[in-house]
Amino acid sequence: MAGRESNIVKIVGIENYEKIRNCKCLLVGAGGIGSELLKDLILMQFGEIHIIDLDTIDLSNLNRQFLFRQKDIKQPKSTTAVKAVSHFSNSKLIPYQGNIMDTNQFPLHWFNQFDIIFNALDNLAARRYVNKIAQFLSLPLLESGTSGFDGYIQPIIPHLTECFDCTKKETPKTFPVCTIRSTPNLPIHCIVWAKNFLFNELFASSITENNQDEQRLEDKQDWGTEDKEEIERIKQETNELHELQKIIYSKDSSKIVNILEKLFIHDIEKLLLIENLWKTREKPTSLTLEHIESSKKIDVSKLKLDQIWSLEEQIAKFINVTEILMNRYSIEKSIEFDKDDEDTLEFVVTAANIRSYIFGISMKSVFDSKQIAGNIIPAIATTNAIIAGLSSIVSLRVLNLLNYANVKKPTDINMAFTSKASNISNQRYLSNPNLSKPNCNCAVCSKVCRGVLEVSTVKLQTSTLGELIELIRTTFKYPNDVSVLDVSGQRLLADFDFDDLLDKTLEDLKLGEGDVLLFTDDEGDEDSNQFRKSLELYIAVVSDKSDDYIKLPSIEVPLIEKIEEAESNDMEEEINIATNANEETIILIDEEEALELDKQSKGKRLEREDSSDKDNIKKIRTTNTIEDDIIELD
Amino acid sequence: MSSGDSNLSADEIALYDRQIRLWGMAAQARMRSAKVLLINLGSIGTEITKNIVLSGIGNLTLLDDHTVTEEDLGSQFFLSKENVGYKRLEVTKDRIQELNPRVNLTYDVGKFKEKDAEYFKQFDLIIGTELSTLETIELNKITRRFNIPLYIAGSNGLFAYIFVDLVQFDAVDEKLKSSVPVEIGRISSNKEVIEVNVRIDEDDSKKIYEKVTTRHHYKTFEDVLQAASLKDKLNRRQLKRLSGAVPLTFAKFNLQNNQACPTSEELRKSMQAISNKFGVPVENIKDEYFEQFANQSGIEFAPVSAVIGGAVAQDVINVFGKRQSPICNFIIFDGITLDMPIYEF
């Protein structure tokens, strides 16, 4: 055989080659890893590849996403990628521009057409979502990620090997309020102050909304201090900032100097009056009117983004960019921080740098600050190529297509992560531990049973919640006391003392395609101390069945010993600087949200030290979530 | 390597943003003045080309006289069906240039074997792919004569290798200081620490870094073939886990003096000799494993090329960028287990 298939035939044999031709792959992401994976899967002659991405192409993608050109900027990634590979592709390719978590565009049954899923994602929320879908449908998933030189791949065989959520992803770095507002000592503290506090107060929303937000936050947050005097000062300062927003409203650029005086002279002078703060710290030195005056001679058009500007240059630029934003504000009504919006970036950077100067912290260039303010993760072509290559190669074992390396048990398959590039080992370029069994405490793959609840459109309108509960109770042998939670909507539907909704139909309750219900045994068996395991049901609405159609998954829900939940609530209250999964913003959140976000957030930079493979892979995996969605704080 | 103009333009900074954040402006500027030769644009060559052109290397010369075959379509993404029968370089050059218009590309359809030693002198670094043992030895003699860093990579289906000869290279690594300070002196057969400096983080005085300069001593390919052995280097567990690809790759090198695609019997014989020399029991390599290694001889497999091409390109970039220690000096990749050990032969 001498054609494009001859290489793969020699590797897997003619029969398995036919299987590859009949294989339908789902590729989630057409960015750095996705571009590479698409190329590899095509050259391996996979029969059909569906590729999804919600993004459009940006200039900063071109250093690694090799299917995209300058002329493609602002075009959708998925369709552009498919066009770019057409000259070498012999596979059926189907692009989608959309969010993989959109249940309207991608309902559960849509996933069921695939034989294997390749993740090439850049955020934890979507990774978790696809992982869960794979668990619902028992589809093999190839998970991967890169961050700079670091990268990993993890094959996931549902129910047989560790899932994405079996290992804990670390919580985001947090700062107490007083560090940000009163006693910064790192550049990031000043950037967070400028971006999350100052910028929002001045440009993000109207005054009343801000007041409410502020009130809500202040009721709950950790001040990081017991000092009443200081807390009062911070509260007062916030109120005074609302006054500054009136200057922005006024469009009077001559008053920008007042903003500078308030933020960097008066507020600092007040801060200096709280002597307790400066017993063990270096005192800040406030700006002077002379600084502001001498900045007026500076020509801001000559400033370079990769250099650190002088204090006077920072002030001059601050005045210049505030004036621009002031004018924009009167038209746009609300401006959000965006790292690629130069005005907002320069405002934050100059304000942060002036504050840094005051507190004796080193100033940063716009280029360097952008990384911190915009949560940018460095990304390169080579790591993506290596990781996508490994993901493709190992798919041959996941699909068990290598006859000479037959997979006897799923834990024979290897995962891999960069070990040389990550400074973990000098003796191995990659570390490649075998897959582990599922973690028995994993809330995603082990602690609950999962299945799909199929229901016809008509049945959705006629069946009440009470009837559904009854059906589930009898089918899976739950006791009388069960609680039902709408996981997607985060609301309680029923429990032992809440039965108001039982007569509502599923449609009344706004339940439909893609919603997930969680049934929990609240009663248990007193004698044996055993409980029925919790059950998560994914609602799939089917249109081609009879009106009365409703079908529960054919699974067994076992009895388990009740395990006392570990108390996880004893952590100190703090403001969490977490990343919103979809937007690249740092958000200040209260503690309740923080617990939620705990589950979706990622951790600190890899600690570079030698230890065993298992420890390292955990570090790598908690470290690497690719590209743009994370704040790196080390 | 000339020092070049170290000022990157605003356009370059925007384009290379995500990598400059990793290796810095100075490294990016040094890459821009580099002059690299890549020999043979096969599957691995294609991957290396893509990676270093995207990264913004200044000058890349491609030397390849091959004609596109049907098989090439299954492992090289610059090619399309209509290209079969044409010179590889002629049909791929526009696609390569499109990747990054800033890179100065030179295409040479001459034969590698007919190039005289002087030809190679103009380059700062040379990468050879798909070369026979003899060709590698000859090329290595030339790179030694002119003190040029050399990378060699090749594959055999699911298996592949990388050989590196930087002659002598001082790498500076910086890491957080641990409780055990790094000491000056030999740390392995090819490496010695020659300098240790301590740096305190400018923003956080509690963070103390050690800047360690490590001198890497390299051997030539010929010397590696002579010296390579794992005798007394592996414990029992490591020996048991050793990939069969290690002795088999060397068994193939020893044969390639004569021909590119050996018969199964020739390879088996050579493997027995190598197993002795390496101190690896022949029983370690199962018949099934041996057979498919032999069967995959001469096969280029795209995802393997992606891994190897990624590793070579990253190392080349690191050498120019003076970031991270380079590979020293031999890697073998086993695509079944994803083993990828680095040996100092």
Side-chain angles (χ1 to χ4, degrees), chain A residues 177 180-182 193 196-198 200-202 207-218 221 223 230-246 262-263 267 270 575 588:
Chain A
V177 177
I180 301 299
R181 297 286 294 272
S182 309
W193 173 83
N196 298 81
F197 173 65
L198 180 62
N200 279 342
E201 291 294 338
L202 295 186
I207 289 171
T208 40
E209 266 176 66
N210 261 348
N211 270 334
Q212 284 168 357
D213 277 359
E214 207 60 47
Q215 205 52 55
R216 194 175 54 86
L217 263 177
E218 284 180 2
Q221 68 193 323
W223 296 92
E230 193 196 346
I231 294 176
E232 269 321 299
R233 189 203 63 80
I234 292 176
K235 285 185 174 173
Q236 193 199 344
E237 190 184 271
T238 308
N239 289 332
E240 287 167 6
L241 266 181
H242 299 319
E243 294 298 308
L244 290 188
Q245 200 179 36
K246 288 179 185 158
K262 154 88 174 99
L263 293 176
D267 284 354
K270 278 188 206 156
I575 295 186
L588 297 174

Side-chain angles (χ1 to χ4, degrees), chain A residues 6-7 36 39 63 87-88 149 186 362 367 371 379-380 382 393 397 404 420-421 427 429 432 634, chain B residues 18-19 21 47 50 71 77 79-80 98 203 207 296 300 314 324-325 335-337 339-340 342:
Chain A
S6 62
N7 290 348
E36 291 282 339
K39 172 248 313 169
N63 79 320
H87 75 270
F88 68 90
F149 295 120
L186 289 174
S362 59
F367 182 85
Q371 181 156 352
I380 50 176
T382 47
I393 295 169
R397 297 205 80 204
Y404 43 85
K420 181 188 180 296
Q427 275 105 50
Y429 201 84
N432 57 331
D634 59 354
Chain B
R18 294 303 187 270
Q19 64 199 44
R21 292 182 191 283
E47 285 286 340
K50 172 202 70 189
E71 285 99 322
F77 58 85
L79 301 175
S80 63
E98 266 184 6
D203 297 328
K207 278 190 189 160
Q296 291 176 23
E300 294 183 297
Q314 187 56 61
Q324 297 211 322
S325 286
I336 298 173
T337 57
D339 269 336
M340 200 166 173
I342 306 169

Side-chain angles (χ1 to χ4, degrees), chain B residues 109-302:
Chain B
V109 290
K111 283 193 185 344
F112 164 66
K113 283 173 199 154
E114 290 167 9
K115 297 289 176 193
D116 58 18
E118 290 298 308
Y119 172 83
F120 298 96
K121 212 172 137 183
Q122 56 179 311
F123 301 104
D124 300 317
L125 187 145
I126 296 175
I127 307 165
T129 65
E130 295 178 74
L131 296 176
S132 71
T133 304
L134 272 184
E135 286 171 328
T136 304
I137 290 172
E138 283 311 306
L139 178 61
N140 202 178
K141 279 182 186 154
I142 297 167
T143 58
R144 278 279 167 156
R145 184 173 351 143
F146 301 122
N147 201 17
I148 301 170
L150 174 69
Y151 284 79
I152 297 288
S155 66
N156 183 103
L158 283 170
F159 313 92
Y161 69 90
I162 300 169
F163 163 76
V164 183
D165 178 16
L166 304 181
V167 191
Q168 182 178 303
F169 188 89
D170 292 347
V172 183
D173 280 297
E174 193 174 78
K175 46 179 142 188
L176 273 178
K177 192 174 177 177
S178 70
S179 49
V180 191
V182 176
E183 284 175 26
I184 287 180
R186 184 91 33 190
I187 50 169
S188 64
S189 64
N190 294 352
K191 289 180 209 159
E192 60 178 325
V193 172
I194 57 169
E195 201 182 333
V196 181
N197 290 310
V198 172
R199 183 180 75 84
I200 298 166
D201 191 285
E202 56 184 21
D203 297 328
D204 183 354
S205 59
K206 275 174 262 168
K207 278 190 189 160
I208 301 168
Y209 294 93
E210 271 182 333
K211 243 180 152 165
V212 179
T213 308
T214 310
R215 179 157 293 170
H216 296 63
H217 302 276
Y218 286 84
K219 289 199 187 77
T220 64
F221 192 68
E222 204 169 9
D223 288 347
V224 166
L225 291 191
Q226 288 284 325
S229 168
L230 293 171
K231 264 188 188 144
D232 307 322
K233 281 190 187 166
L234 304 180
N235 61 35
R236 246 182 46 201
R237 190 169 151 266
Q238 287 171 320
L239 200 61
K240 208 179 146 213
R241 288 185 49 148
L242 180 73
S243 163
V246 178
L248 280 166
T249 300
F250 278 86
K252 214 177 145 190
F253 286 142
N254 277 3
L255 278 173
Q256 278 188 3
N257 286 317
N258 306 312
Q259 61 192 97
C261 276
T263 65
S264 178
E265 292 83 85
E266 285 171 322
L267 187 62
R268 190 177 289 278
K269 231 172 163 181
S270 176
M271 178 191 76
Q272 274 155 355
I274 287 290
S275 294
N276 268 337
K277 180 163 175 272
F278 271 59
V280 181
V282 186
E283 313 83 79
N284 249 21
I285 303 149
K286 300 216 168 63
D287 275 353
E288 232 178 2
Y289 193 95
F290 173 86
E291 282 307 327
Q292 47 91 17
F293 187 95
N295 189 37
Q296 291 176 23
S297 196
I299 296 293
E300 294 183 297
F301 188 48

Side-chain angles (χ1 to χ4, degrees), chain A residues 571-616:
Chain A
M571 61 182 80
E572 274 183 43
E573 252 186 71
E574 286 188 327
I575 295 186
N576 275 266
I577 308 294
T579 55
N580 182 319
N582 301 312
E583 296 153 41
E584 293 177 40
T585 48
I586 311 178
I587 44 175
L588 297 174
I589 52 173
D590 62 51
E591 197 225 9
E592 267 175 49
E593 285 177 59
L595 284 173
E596 223 1 78
L597 267 161
D598 255 14
K599 302 176 202 152
Q600 341 176 334
S601 49
K602 74 129 275 202
K604 292 182 295 186
R605 179 172 279 270
L606 180 72
E607 284 168 45
R608 303 184 190 289
E609 54 187 51
D610 276 304
S611 54
S612 76
D613 268 6
K614 290 276 164 180
D615 288 347
N616 282 323

Side-chain angles (χ1 to χ4, degrees), chain A residues 272-391:
Chain A
L272 281 166
L273 295 177
I274 309 175
E275 285 174 10
N276 282 339
L277 290 178
W278 315 114
K279 282 182 182 152
T280 56
R281 294 185 185 92
E282 200 72 26
K283 282 183 182 179
T285 351
S286 68
L287 221 57
T288 61
L289 291 171
E290 288 73 44
H291 285 132
I292 299 175
E293 194 51 41
S294 59
S295 76
K296 289 179 178 159
K297 294 177 219 118
I298 286 165
D299 176 6
V300 293
S301 66
K302 294 221 167 74
L303 299 175
K304 290 203 163 149
L305 299 182
D306 60 329
Q307 283 163 7
I308 299 173
W309 306 334
S310 70
L311 178 66
E312 283 75 15
E313 287 168 339
Q314 307 280 3
I315 296 170
K317 189 71 196 179
F318 178 89
I319 294 172
N320 165 260
V321 78
T322 305
E323 188 178 348
I324 297 171
L325 286 169
M326 210 178 234
N327 291 326
R328 279 178 53 181
Y329 188 78
S330 68
I331 303 159
E332 297 171 33
K333 303 297 178 220
S334 164
I335 305 172
E336 279 192 27
F337 174 83
D338 177 347
K339 69 180 193 311
D340 296 316
D341 177 337
E342 265 178 50
D343 302 333
T344 66
L345 178 67
E346 283 169 4
F347 176 88
V348 165
V349 173
T350 51
N353 276 331
I354 299 169
R355 189 169 169 86
S356 286
Y357 171 85
I358 289 167
F359 284 89
I361 301 166
S362 59
M363 299 201 275
K364 294 259 172 201
S365 69
V366 173
F367 182 85
D368 286 340
S369 305
K370 184 176 177 181
Q371 181 156 352
I372 302 172
N375 309 332
I376 295 173
I377 301 298
I380 50 176
T382 47
T383 314
N384 288 336
I386 293 168
I387 290 306
L390 293 170
S391 190

Side-chain angles (χ1 to χ4, degrees), chain B residues 65-84:
Chain B
D65 68 333
H66 291 84
T67 301
V68 179
T69 66
E70 288 267 350
E71 285 99 322
D72 289 345
L73 301 180
S75 63
Q76 296 170 42
F77 58 85
F78 288 135
L79 301 175
S80 63
K81 222 170 162 182
E82 305 77 54
N83 301 147
V84 175

